[in-house]
Each structure stands twice: as C-alpha cells, then as structure tokens.
Amino acid sequence: MRKALLFFAFLFLNLVSANAADIKSIGVPYVQNYTKALYQSGNQNWSITRDEHGIMYFGNSEGLLTFDGKYWQSYPMPNGLIVRSVAADGKGKVYAGGFGEFGYWETNKNGSLKYHSLIQLVPKKYQPVNEEVWKIYIDNGQVIFQSFGSIYIYRQGKINVIKGANPFLFLYKTGSRYFVEEVNKGLFELKNNQLNYIEGSDKMGNSGVLSILSLPGNKFLIGTARNGLFIYDGRQINEWRNQANDFLKTYQLNNGVLLLGKYIAYGTILNGIIIIDTAGNVVQHINKSSGLQNNTVLSLFIDNEHNLWTGLDNGIDRIEVNSPLYFYFDKSGRFGTVYSSIIFNNKIYLGTNQGLFYSDWIESGNKRLFQSFDFQLIPGSQGQVWELALQDGKLLCGHNTGTFQVNGNTISRITGISGGWTIKKLNTNQLIQGTYTGLVFYKKDNAGNWAFDHKLEGFGEPSRYVEQDNKGQIWVSHAYKGIYRVTLTNDLKKAASVKYYDKRSGLPGSYNINVFNLDNRIVFSSDSGFYVYDDISDRFSKYQQLNKMLGTFSSSNKIIPALGKKYWFINHGRVALADLSTPGKMSIDSNRFNILDGRMVKDYENISRINSSIYLISVDDGFVILNDEDALQQTRTKLPMVLVRRIENITDRVTPIVNHGDQNDIEVPYTQNNIRISYSLPFYRQEKIKFQYYLEGYSKQWSDWSTQTQKEFTNLNQGTYNFKVRAKINEENVSPVTTLKFTILAPWYAGKIAVFCYLLLIILAYFLATKYYRLKLKRHQHHIHEKLQKEKEEFLKQEAIVNEQQIVKIKNEQLQADLASKSRELANSAMNIVYKNELLQKISEEMTHLKDSTGKQLADEQLRRIQKVIDEGMNDERDWNIFESSFNEAHENFFKKLKSGHPDLVPNDLKLCAYLRMNMSSKEMASLLNISLRGVEIRRYRLRKKLNLEHDKNLVEFLIEL
C-alpha cells in the first residue's frame, strides 16, 4: 500500500514538473519584498509553513507571524520567545518551538490564535528543557520536535524522548524517512524511535549537514555548510561534483528545498539563493544585488503555487520561480534610464539616456555557471538613444546626435541629422525616419548597408511617429500637437502636399495624438479612444468597434506589434497583449502583466520580440524577459477559497467581534449591528485580485467586482445573514464561494426576558386600563350629569334673559310710542302756535282796514291797544314754556346738552336750535319767532358762529346728531 502511494505521489510530481515552466537563467524571477516596516515584527525569520487555508506562518524573532495575502498579524510566544520552528498540521493547528518551549497555536471561539504549551508533557527526568527547538515535523498522527539535545515525539497526548550519544545538529524529513546528524559522529536515520548509523557519512566532514532532499531513484541529496554536496544512494555517500559546489562552499550553504520537481534551491549565509537543476547546472542566482533584501537566508519554503518563500536575516521575500517574467535591474545606476532594448547577434543592447550599452547574451542551453550581465558603453554613443531598430539584418540606432549603424561593440554614423525617433520601412530598398526636424530617407548601398539618401523638402515638423497608408501617403504624429498627412512626389524628394489635422477635423483634441498601423489599418490614438480617417469626408471619427473591444485600453497611447496578429497596447504605463487572430473578436490580457505597470518609460515604451514566444521589455532601470508560453500556463491556476479574516464592530469605535471567520453561526449583539467584514485571498502571486460579495438577507444581488478587501454594513436588522464572497484574477479565474453565517441578535427590548416582561406589563396594563376605564366611565357619567344640570340652568338663564329682553323690547316700543306721541304733540303744539301767530298777524294786518260805524278808521289809540293785545299774544312766554317742556321730554334734555356745550347761547338761540332740530321751515320759524325771513337767516348765521361749525357742516344735521 505504501509503495502504491509513493508511486502515485511520484507520478503526480512528474506531471507537475512536466506542466511547470522552466526556470530561466537570464535575469532573475520576480522578487516581492516584505519588509520589517510592512509586517511590523522582528527582522529575523527562522522558519516558514502554510496551513490548509493557504495562510502563511513565519517563525519570527518576536513571535508567530501570519500573512493571508493582505493582512499581517503577530502573536507573541510566552515570555516573548523567538520562534525557531513552525509546522502546520493541516487540521487547524500550527506547532511552534522556541527556547525551552514547544506547543501549538489553535483558533479559539473568538477567532484568535491561542497558544497551548506541550512542555508539561515532557517526562520529568528530561525537564527542564533548556534548548532551542529547531525542527518540527508532522507525520502519521505524530509530531516530532527536535532540539540540539533531544528529539521529542508527541503522539496521543504523550511525549517520548530520544537522545543520542552526542548532541544533534538538525533533523530532516525526506519522503517518509528521517535523518539527523550527531555532532562529530555522522549521519543517522531515525526509524522506530531508534537511531541507525549511515555508513560512510563521516566522509562528509564536520561542517554540518544543513539540507537533505530526495532525488529520483531513491537517492538523497545532502548539503553541507562548507564541504559541498553529496549523494546518498542507500548504500554509500559520494561527493557530487557540479557547478554549484564551489559557490556553496564559499558562501556557506544554510538550507535547501526542491522546486517544480526538477530544481533545487539552496539558501546561503553570505550570498543569497542559488538554484540548480538535477544535473547540477546553475540556472539562477538571486541575492541582494538582484532583489533580495538580505543575503543571509535563514529559511526556505515552497508553496502549492511554486512561490519560493525566503525567511531572511532581515525581512521576508517571495520569489516567483516559475514566473513568465524575468528581470534585470541596474542597481548601481550605471546605464541610466532604458528607452529601447534589443537582442542581436548574441548581444543584448540597451539604449538609454546616457548612451548605447551592450553585453553578451547567454544562449539557451548554455550550461555555464550563472553570471550577471556585464554591460559596457559603446564608444561614441554617449547621449540620448531614442530607438534601436533591426532592418534587414542591420541594427540601427536613432540617437540625439544622429543615426548610427551598430556593428558588434562599435557604431558608425549614417547621418548627423539629430533626433532619430522612429524608423520604418518604406519599401524594399528604402527606410523613412521621423526626426526632430522632419522626415529622413535611407537606401541600401552596394554592400547592403543602410546609407543616408535625402531629407524631405517642404516638411520640417518634429515627427514622433510615422506610418504609411495603403495609398502611399505618409501620416506623421507631431511630437506635441496634431497630425500631418504628407503626400510625396514621385521621386520622394519633396512633399507634394502637407495637411494638418486637429480638433477641427474631428479629432478629440490637438495634443497627444499618435498614429499606428494596426492589422494593416492606420489608427490614431488619443486619451478619448482610437480614431480612424475617412477619405471621402476628410474627417476623423471614433473607431467604435475597436474601442469597445479594448475596454479600458481604448485610451492607449501606444501600439507595438507582437507576433502575427498579436499587438501590445500601452495605456500610460499599463500593458496588455491583444490577439486579433479571430475575425470580429479580440482577446485582451492585461492582468498577467500587472507587474510591469508603471515600470516603463512613459511615452517611450519599448517591447521587442526575440522569438515566437519570448519578448524583451524595456523598463526604467533595466529590462524584462517575458516568455508568453509560460504566461499562458498561469491562467490554469486553481484559486483557493477567500478567507473571512475579521468581523469588527464599527458602531462607536472599531472593536473586534471575531478575528477569523472560520466558524459559522456567529452571534453579534444588536448594539453592534454596524459591522465591517474583512476578507482576503491567500494567493500570493503578483496579480490584480478582485472581489465580489453578496449578503443574503440584506443585498438583492452580487456586488460589482472590486479590489476592496473589506465591506461595511450598517444598521443591520435582527436576523440570520449569509455573507458570501469570491475572488477573481485574470478576469476569468474565479474562486469558489466562501460563506459566512452570522446572526444579529435581537435588541434587549426584543429578547425573551423582555417579551416576558412585556406580557406582565400587558396584563398589568389590562387591569389598570380596565380600572381606569371604569373610573373614567364613572367620572364621565358624573360629568354628563353636571353638564346636563349646567345646561338646564343655562337654559333657564337664557330663557329669563329672553323674557327680560322681551320686556325691555316692549318697554322700548312703549317708550318709542310715547316719544312718537310726544313728538306729534310737540309738532301740533308748535303748529298751533304758528297758526295762532299767523292768525294774530292777519288780524294785525286787517286792523288797518277797520272802520267804525261812520265809516272812519279807528282811532290810533284804539289800534295801538288792539295791537298791544296782539303783540302780547304773539310773544306770550307761556307758549314757549309749554313748548320747551314738551320738547325736552321728546328730545332728552336737548337744551341742557346744548347749554352745557355752548353756555353763551341766549334764549332766542335756544328757540332757533329747537325749531331747526324739528326741521321747520324758515317761514314757520319766522312766525314762531315773530321775525322776518331775513331775520331767520341772520339768526342762523350767528348761531353757526356761536356753535363754531365748519363751513361744510350742515347746521340741522349737527343739531339732530346732538
């Protein structure tokens, strides 16, 4: 059974190694640095492991350090011990060891890692433990802890201790076998709790065995600190002579690990990491000068995605050993910023802002020891190099001071026209070049070399990009502003016509417009998308189909041909490879090249093809080698599940609810119903990871894809929720859905005790309400009785008032009748006096005509006596007194009121006022006053003055109103 399992394991490893990309020997794979400042813990990292969820654990000088791809967390050991060794059992426990201490970390109910010591299980005769625990292995239900003095085997709650005759160095597990070195004695195999000596192991010397790895054929590769490598075939141990031996002896091997089933990586104390193949050939050397933070490698670990994790003396690094991208950086700043690069005749050339540099190019299959490039400046090339172009087997260099042909490690000037930006083939025997001052033409000489022909007349604009359309017209992108279309004469010497195009011709603007040839069609790039030119309308319009397919890369500022119908699109520092092989469709891949984002020189991005699958990419301070076939394999990676790392209460201040989301049925108090859920994907390659979440019971649908690794939910109602989250890389590789179930508990006022209290309160309220209702009913009845009594009294009162008003009305009517009667009497009295006076006046007038019996007039004496009687009758005060008394009764003491307001009125004035109030005519008043009509008017005038009446005030109205 065991042999069958070993066979299938070996077969699986072979399949993995067959599908895994080869490690390249040019440049170095991508190295991601995790600095001490980033993970906020100790500088030294002694051991590395990974659990079943994909979380990384590091034995750090300040405790246990964890990393899930997004968040770092540190857990101190008891007494602040250094963690020298860690190992995850894949079942939720992480074993750790330090000085005089070993045990395991396990997640508690709150989601936090809690340490459980096992040191108390060590038999008393072996206590106290006063040594560092350097190695931990988990195998077949047992855990093995190794220190320099003892091996502790923990199984079923008990610990067995194995000691050697001499101190141990390090214990190694290779396959199912364990080997340990006893100092000054040799190598032993641990089998059935017994140490069995390996014959011939003494020939390895006493420098110390620091690595034992399995090789095909049941062989073992043994690495020593300073004596090199040895192979143990089960019978004898022999030195393995290879390219790496001297290096490992010199720089002191410290640890080793198998890579991809066909490579071995060794960490050293003095010079980083060296990688060899199974034949012993050196294929990589990675040290501080090529990306590591430190040259002292304390630990190595390879994960399921073939990331090589390195625990350093200062920091942690992750190396993508099977990355399709390999880098070379000019750490010394020797050659400046790279604008162009190319490989030609077994040499690599870098065109920089300081000149043209070259170095030998290591051919594929070369088995010599890995070495760094040795770039040298080609004499006479000092200055800005804009372009390196290979034309018909000749390498041309566009330079600030002219254009040169490159011949190995020398250059020869072709022309002194400055600023050779871009050079393109015009026809079989001619080239056209865009320069600072226009267009330049080249032709082949008799020796097949390119020679200067002429400079185009009639056009002298700075020409950044140049393309020829299918009509032979030349399109030129101005270095700064606009596009030109140049029509050449038949001899190509002059510009027959030049037309300038800008915003007025349909372009989105005048600046940053570039021209390129895309699949034999001229297109124009802009920040608003790609445009095409229409001959008939002589205008530009948006290339809608292309822009739609490109998505965010529609605003690319540069297009570079790749292979066949593949093209590189550069969008202001972002890189994508588009495949136009299928008509009407386009596949565009940008995520695989996220590492390059922002590393290339803006507006001077350069990618050159070495062969059908390998590209040379210029970056700011070096170059990158891309193997496109290796890159395509990365898309097949199976993603792990997203981890819910923390649930936090954000109601008032941020406090943790659960530190890990491993457990379900989490209960959250209602007072903490504003929560933040943090999640991560334990996928460590340099990819752009996007997340999508859905909260059942709250959300209506899945969210949009986003790079955010946390989500806040506020004012959650009580109830049970299922938080679902998944991740995606490369826009197609989606992880399984992770589900976290949690419950927002009912608020205190909706709990069971509260409900019971509510029932009691309802019952009490019912009795109180009933009692209150009865009391209220009684009060209401009493109130109604009082109200009826009041209404009755009010009715009687109102009835009395009505009766009284009726009596008053009757009295008023009687008074009015009496007043009217008195007014009539007064009027009659006045008329009688008038009639009497008129009669007396007529008698007085008739007396002058009276005669005696003799016919003579009466004597004057008689007439005077009669007249006197008449006058006395007309001026009799008794008439006036009677009239005044009646007048006062009818007009409410009119004279008293008038006299009180106007005391200067005389009796005649009062009489006149009375007659005017009665609205008598002037004739009637003259008769009563025994004066003439003129006298009446005079008296009226005098009365107005005494009464001080205004001119427009009527005298009669005034007296009536009084």
Side-chain angles (χ1 to χ4, degrees):
M1 181 65 182
R2 178 173 292 181
K3 289 183 177 180
L5 290 173
L6 289 174
F7 171 77
F8 285 115
F10 179 74
L11 181 62
F12 173 76
L13 287 174
N14 285 338
L15 289 173
V16 170
S17 63
N19 290 327
D22 289 334
I23 297 177
K24 310 302 182 294
S25 60
I26 298 174
V28 294
Y30 176 72
V31 180
Q32 184 169 10
N33 301 136
Y34 301 104
T35 65
K36 175 183 175 181
L38 176 65
Y39 60 71
Q40 295 289 304
S41 194
N43 57 307
Q44 293 178 321
N45 296 278
W46 294 95
S47 55
I48 307 170
T49 190
R50 183 174 178 174
D51 71 4
E52 66 275 16
H53 302 297
I55 300 173
M56 301 299 301
Y57 295 84
F58 303 89
N60 185 265
S61 56
E62 291 186 6
L64 181 69
L65 185 64
T66 71
F67 180 50
D68 59 15
K70 177 65 177 180
Y71 302 103
W72 293 89
Q73 288 183 312
S74 182
Y75 299 90
M77 284 283 283
N79 303 314
L81 295 175
I82 297 172
V83 178
R84 299 288 186 181
S85 53
V86 290
D89 69 352
K91 299 177 182 178
K93 292 180 180 179
V94 179
Y95 291 88
F99 180 79
E101 180 64 55
F102 58 83
Y104 63 90
W105 294 85
E106 190 174 32
T107 303
N108 62 16
K109 63 179 181 180
N110 294 325
S112 297
L113 285 177
K114 184 178 181 181
Y115 182 73
H116 303 270
S117 178
L118 299 175
I119 205 71
Q120 72 277 4
L121 298 179
V122 175
K124 291 185 178 180
K125 66 178 180 178
Y126 298 110
Q127 290 193 18
V129 177
N130 291 319
E131 298 172 310
E132 297 275 9
V133 176
W134 289 98
K135 298 289 183 180
I136 303 175
Y137 297 103
I138 301 169
D139 183 30
N140 262 342
Q142 65 181 11
V143 184
I144 302 174
F145 303 89
Q146 181 256 321
S147 69
F148 287 155
S150 303
I151 297 174
Y152 303 91
I153 302 176
Y154 171 62
R155 186 180 183 90
Q156 296 180 350
K158 295 182 179 180
I159 291 179
N160 294 323
V161 180
I162 298 174
K163 284 192 172 282
N166 292 327
F168 299 122
L169 190 56
F170 294 112
L171 176 70
Y172 298 98
K173 180 178 183 292
T174 55
S176 61
R177 300 176 68 176
Y178 290 89
F179 298 93
V180 64
E181 181 184 14
E182 283 192 19
V183 177
N184 298 323
K185 213 170 178 189
L187 193 63
F188 289 78
E189 182 177 2
L190 175 63
K191 194 172 184 179
N192 297 324
N193 293 348
Q194 299 293 323
L195 294 173
N196 302 312
Y197 180 69
I198 304 295
E199 295 293 337
S201 60
D202 56 340
K203 68 173 62 176
M204 295 186 295
N206 296 322
S207 69
V209 174
L210 297 179
S211 172
I212 302 179
L213 303 172
S214 296
L215 289 178
N218 200 28
K219 296 180 181 179
F220 300 94
L221 178 59
I222 302 172
T224 63
R226 290 182 294 274
N227 293 334
L229 301 175
F230 297 83
I231 292 180
Y232 172 52
D233 61 3
R235 296 185 302 275
Q236 58 184 355
I237 297 175
N238 296 308
E239 185 179 3
W240 187 30
R241 300 182 183 276
N242 55 52
Q243 294 179 356
N245 243 357
D246 290 339
F247 180 91
L248 294 174
K249 290 177 183 179
T250 302
Y251 296 110
Q252 195 174 340
L253 181 150
N254 193 41
N255 39 55
V257 67
L258 286 173
L259 299 177
L260 308 175
K262 52 187 175 180
Y263 297 100
I264 303 104
Y266 285 111
T268 69
I269 295 295
L270 303 174
N271 202 355
I273 297 170
I274 191 171
I275 299 176
I276 63 175
D277 60 19
T278 52
N281 301 308
V282 176
V283 294
Q284 267 297 333
H285 177 210
I286 309 166
N287 58 13
K288 188 170 183 179
S289 64
S290 56
L292 286 184
Q293 297 179 74
N294 188 273
N295 277 331
T296 300
V297 181
L298 299 180
S299 55
L300 290 174
F301 180 84
I302 187 76
D303 66 15
N304 297 337
E305 288 80 37
H306 307 298
N307 293 300
L308 178 59
W309 294 86
T310 62
L312 304 175
D313 193 57
N314 189 8
I316 300 169
D317 286 343
R318 182 185 61 84
I319 305 170
E320 294 184 7
V321 290
N322 67 336
S323 170
L325 297 170
Y326 277 71
F327 297 79
Y328 177 83
F329 294 116
D330 177 25
K331 295 292 184 178
S332 63
R334 181 177 181 183
F335 50 69
T337 304
V338 179
Y339 281 75
S340 184
S341 59
I342 199 168
I343 296 171
F344 177 63
N345 285 346
N346 296 326
K347 283 185 171 53
I348 179 170
Y349 295 91
L350 303 180
T352 77
N353 64 323
Q354 297 182 14
L356 181 60
F357 292 80
Y358 77 97
S359 180
D360 291 335
W361 173 259
I362 300 176
E363 296 181 0
S364 177
N366 192 307
K367 301 301 180 183
R368 64 177 178 171
L369 185 66
F370 177 86
Q371 60 180 359
S372 299
F373 290 100
D374 183 20
F375 283 99
Q376 301 293 325
L377 177 67
I378 295 180
S381 69
Q382 291 90 338
Q384 177 70 59
V385 175
W386 291 117
E387 184 186 40
L388 293 172
L390 190 61
Q391 298 289 349
D392 292 348
K394 303 297 179 182
L395 181 58
L396 304 180
C397 173
H399 198 280
N400 181 59
T401 60
T403 301
F404 301 84
Q405 181 169 307
V406 182
N407 306 300
N409 57 1
T410 64
I411 58 173
S412 58
R413 186 184 295 274
I414 301 175
T415 177
I417 298 175
S418 61
W421 268 320
T422 182
I423 192 165
K424 295 291 179 71
K425 199 150 193 181
L426 188 65
N427 52 50
T428 305
N429 296 311
Q430 285 187 304
L431 301 176
I432 185 171
Q433 183 183 42
T435 70
Y436 294 167
T437 57
L439 300 177
V440 176
F441 291 80
Y442 300 88
K443 65 179 181 179
K444 286 184 179 179
D445 60 14
N446 295 331
N449 295 318
W450 292 105
F452 174 74
D453 188 12
H454 66 276
K455 187 173 185 296
L456 184 68
E457 297 180 17
F459 181 78
E461 298 296 333
S463 305
R464 181 65 185 86
Y465 296 101
V466 178
E467 294 291 347
Q468 183 182 26
D469 64 17
N470 54 15
K471 292 184 177 181
Q473 301 175 116
I474 306 300
W475 290 92
V476 178
S477 173
H478 191 281
Y480 304 103
K481 188 176 182 181
I483 290 288
Y484 290 89
R485 187 186 65 186
V486 182
T487 304
L488 306 178
T489 58
N490 292 332
D491 60 1
L492 308 180
K493 299 288 185 181
K494 298 181 180 179
S497 67
V498 177
K499 184 166 184 180
Y500 174 72
Y501 295 93
D502 58 10
K503 189 174 183 179
R504 293 167 293 183
S505 305
L507 291 170
S510 301
Y511 293 90
N512 302 320
I513 308 295
N514 299 324
V515 58
F516 302 101
N517 188 318
L518 179 66
D519 199 20
N520 296 319
R521 183 171 187 179
I522 301 300
V523 297
F524 302 85
S525 68
S526 74
D527 293 340
S528 301
F530 283 95
Y531 283 72
V532 290
Y533 172 73
D534 179 58
D535 285 329
I536 298 175
S537 62
D538 192 29
R539 289 185 63 81
F540 294 83
S541 60
K542 271 196 171 183
Y543 197 167
Q544 299 288 5
Q545 298 90 335
L546 178 63
N547 291 333
K548 185 176 180 181
M549 290 180 179
L550 288 173
T552 59
F553 277 86
S554 62
S555 57
S556 296
N557 60 295
K558 194 167 188 176
I559 300 175
I560 301 173
L563 177 65
K565 291 197 173 186
K566 289 184 177 181
Y567 292 86
W568 295 99
F569 284 82
I570 315 296
N571 185 6
H572 302 88
R574 294 173 57 223
V575 183
L577 182 60
D579 189 349
L580 283 67
S581 302
T582 305
K585 293 183 179 179
M586 176 189 290
S587 63
I588 183 164
D589 185 7
S590 62
N591 288 304
R592 289 189 289 131
F593 312 109
N594 287 333
I595 296 175
L596 299 175
D597 290 354
R599 292 180 179 266
M600 306 174 77
V601 180
K602 185 180 178 183
D603 298 327
Y604 294 94
E605 299 87 355
N606 176 261
I607 302 175
S608 60
R609 183 167 57 87
I610 300 173
N611 55 41
S612 61
S613 61
I614 299 177
Y615 296 89
L616 179 65
I617 304 171
S618 300
V619 293
D620 289 340
D621 52 353
F623 59 86
V624 178
I625 302 295
L626 166 68
N627 189 312
D628 192 34
E629 290 181 353
D630 291 348
L632 290 173
Q633 293 181 10
Q634 305 300 317
T635 60
R636 305 189 190 102
T637 303
K638 182 180 179 181
L639 293 183
M641 294 185 70
V642 177
L643 302 179
V644 176
R645 301 300 288 151
R646 283 195 301 271
I647 303 177
E648 297 170 303
N649 168 33
I650 58 170
T651 303
D652 296 317
R653 57 189 180 89
V654 179
T655 55
I657 299 174
V658 175
N659 283 324
H660 293 275
D662 297 340
Q663 64 270 37
N664 270 319
D665 297 325
I666 299 169
E667 294 185 343
V668 180
Y670 187 79
T671 55
Q672 301 177 8
N673 66 344
N674 299 301
I675 65 172
R676 178 195 295 150
I677 301 177
S678 300
Y679 41 87
S680 64
L681 182 72
F683 184 82
Y684 302 97
R685 302 186 71 86
Q686 194 70 4
E687 307 281 3
K688 183 174 286 186
I689 303 172
K690 293 183 178 180
F691 295 91
Q692 191 180 43
Y693 63 86
Y694 172 51
L695 183 61
E696 285 186 358
Y698 182 86
S699 308
K700 294 183 178 179
Q701 60 185 11
W702 283 89
S703 68
D704 295 332
W705 290 101
S706 168
T707 57
Q708 296 295 321
T709 58
Q710 57 184 22
K711 174 58 183 174
E712 295 181 356
F713 299 98
T714 57
N715 297 321
L716 291 175
N717 293 323
Q718 68 181 78
T720 299
Y721 298 87
N722 287 315
F723 178 74
K724 298 183 177 182
V725 61
R726 58 188 176 187
K728 176 176 70 172
I729 65 170
N730 296 337
E731 297 299 329
E732 58 185 14
N733 201 358
V734 180
S735 73
V737 174
T738 297
T739 302
L740 171 71
K741 184 178 180 181
F742 66 92
T743 301
I744 302 294
L745 298 177
W748 64 267
Y749 50 83
K752 293 181 180 179
I753 296 176
V755 171
F756 177 74
C757 293
Y758 294 152
L759 290 175
L760 291 179
L761 289 174
I762 290 171
I763 295 171
L764 179 62
Y766 173 76
F767 285 111
L768 290 176
T770 302
K771 186 175 182 180
Y772 174 74
Y773 176 75
R774 291 173 180 172
L775 180 62
K776 186 177 180 181
L777 182 62
K778 186 176 181 180
R779 288 179 179 176
H780 185 64
Q781 290 173 343
H782 180 70
H783 175 70
I784 291 173
H785 177 73
E786 289 182 347
K787 185 177 180 181
L788 289 173
Q789 188 66 30
K790 287 182 179 179
E791 288 179 354
K792 183 178 180 181
E793 292 175 357
E794 184 68 22
F795 175 77
L796 294 174
K797 185 179 179 181
Q798 292 295 328
E799 188 175 17
I801 292 172
V802 170
N803 291 335
E804 186 177 350
Q805 289 176 345
Q806 190 68 26
I807 294 171
V808 171
K809 181 179 179 181
I810 294 172
K811 288 182 178 180
N812 287 337
E813 289 176 353
Q814 184 65 40
L815 290 174
Q816 289 293 332
D818 292 343
L819 180 61
S821 175
K822 290 182 178 180
S823 295
R824 285 193 298 272
E825 290 178 359
L826 180 62
N828 291 334
S829 174
M831 293 307 298
N832 289 334
I833 295 173
V834 170
Y835 177 73
K836 181 197 73 171
N837 288 344
E838 286 179 352
L839 181 59
L840 291 176
Q841 185 66 32
K842 285 182 179 180
I843 293 173
S844 175
E845 290 175 356
E846 289 294 332
M847 279 197 319
T848 56
H849 301 291
L850 289 178
K851 295 180 180 179
D852 58 11
S853 58
T854 59
K856 294 181 181 179
Q857 290 184 340
L858 295 177
D860 291 336
E861 184 62 29
Q862 289 179 326
L863 290 173
R864 280 194 297 273
R865 284 198 303 270
I866 296 172
Q867 187 64 41
K868 182 179 179 182
V869 172
I870 292 172
D871 289 339
E872 287 177 354
M874 291 179 68
N875 295 315
D876 192 349
E877 288 297 326
R878 288 177 301 176
D879 292 337
W880 167 250
N881 291 335
I882 295 171
F883 177 81
E884 182 180 13
S885 176
S886 300
F887 190 85
N888 277 329
E889 290 179 1
H891 294 282
E892 298 180 354
N893 299 319
F894 171 74
F895 293 114
K896 290 182 179 180
K897 294 179 182 178
L898 188 62
K899 192 70 173 174
S900 63
H902 304 282
D904 56 339
L905 294 178
V906 297
N908 286 334
D909 293 329
L910 295 175
K911 291 179 182 179
L912 180 60
C913 288
Y915 300 149
L916 287 172
R917 181 180 174 88
M918 292 180 66
N919 202 17
M920 290 184 174
S921 65
S922 297
K923 182 178 179 183
E924 291 172 337
M925 288 186 290
S927 174
L928 289 170
L929 295 173
N930 197 22
I931 59 175
S932 64
L933 290 174
R934 177 63 178 168
V936 171
E937 292 301 324
I938 292 171
R939 285 194 180 185
R940 285 172 65 104
Y941 173 74
R942 290 174 180 170
L943 180 61
R944 288 181 65 90
K945 289 189 69 176
K946 288 182 179 181
L947 296 175
N948 296 319
L949 294 182
E950 297 292 334
H951 177 70
D952 56 349
K953 181 67 175 178
N954 186 278
L955 179 59
V956 176
E957 290 179 358
F958 170 76
L959 294 173
I960 291 173
E961 293 171 357
L962 188 64

